[in-house]
């Protein structure tokens, strides 16, 4: 009986935690809305801004950049100093 109560408690906490976590889209909406408010946009101007803002992709994270650059370096079969130079340049660009 005690195990059942603990299991139900853990399950309830997991479900409650998921309800409070904001999705990436919700975060994007919050950011775009704050930007539109800061620019004092109204009406059609605001709608156009929000549409454009929500369609733009966020800048890639450092981890995503590293993954892409690493894959490119592997595809080019780079090793040693050549790989280091390529990775450095690649991470600065993206």
């Amino acid at each position: 009986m005690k195990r059942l109560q603990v299991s139900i408690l853990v399950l309830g906490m997991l479900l409650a935690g998921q309800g409070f976590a904001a999705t990436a889209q919700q975060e994007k909406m919050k950011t775009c809305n704050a930007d539109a408010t800061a620019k004092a946009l109204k009406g059609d101007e605001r709608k156009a801004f929000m549409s454009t803002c929500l369609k733009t992709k966020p800048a890639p994270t450092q981890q995503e950049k590293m993954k892409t650059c690493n894959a490119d370096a592997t595809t080019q079969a780079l090793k040693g100093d050549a790989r280091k130079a390529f990775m450095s340049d690649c991470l600065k660009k993206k």
Side-chain angles (χ1 to χ4, degrees):
M1 185 67 175
K2 188 82 165 169
R3 279 188 176 178
L4 180 61
Q5 289 175 338
V6 171
S7 297
I8 291 172
L9 178 63
V10 170
L11 180 62
M13 288 173 37
L14 287 173
L15 292 174
Q18 289 176 350
F20 292 113
T23 65
Q25 183 64 21
Q26 288 170 327
E27 288 299 319
K28 182 85 171 161
M29 183 71 145
K30 186 189 271 187
T31 302
C32 292
N33 193 35
D35 291 347
T37 301
K39 294 179 180 184
L41 299 176
K42 305 250 187 237
D44 290 339
E45 237 179 7
R46 185 182 185 92
K47 286 180 188 176
F49 173 82
M50 290 295 287
S51 178
T52 303
C53 183
L54 291 170
K55 288 178 185 174
T56 58
K57 288 192 170 190
T61 64
Q62 185 66 22
Q63 188 175 10
E64 290 168 339
K65 287 188 220 177
M66 186 67 125
K67 191 182 250 186
T68 302
C69 292
N70 192 35
D72 292 347
T74 301
T75 301
Q76 296 176 29
L78 298 174
K79 305 254 185 229
D81 290 339
R83 185 180 183 91
K84 285 181 187 176
F86 173 82
M87 289 295 288
S88 176
D89 186 49
C90 182
L91 290 170
K92 288 176 187 172
K93 286 181 186 176
K94 298 184 179 200

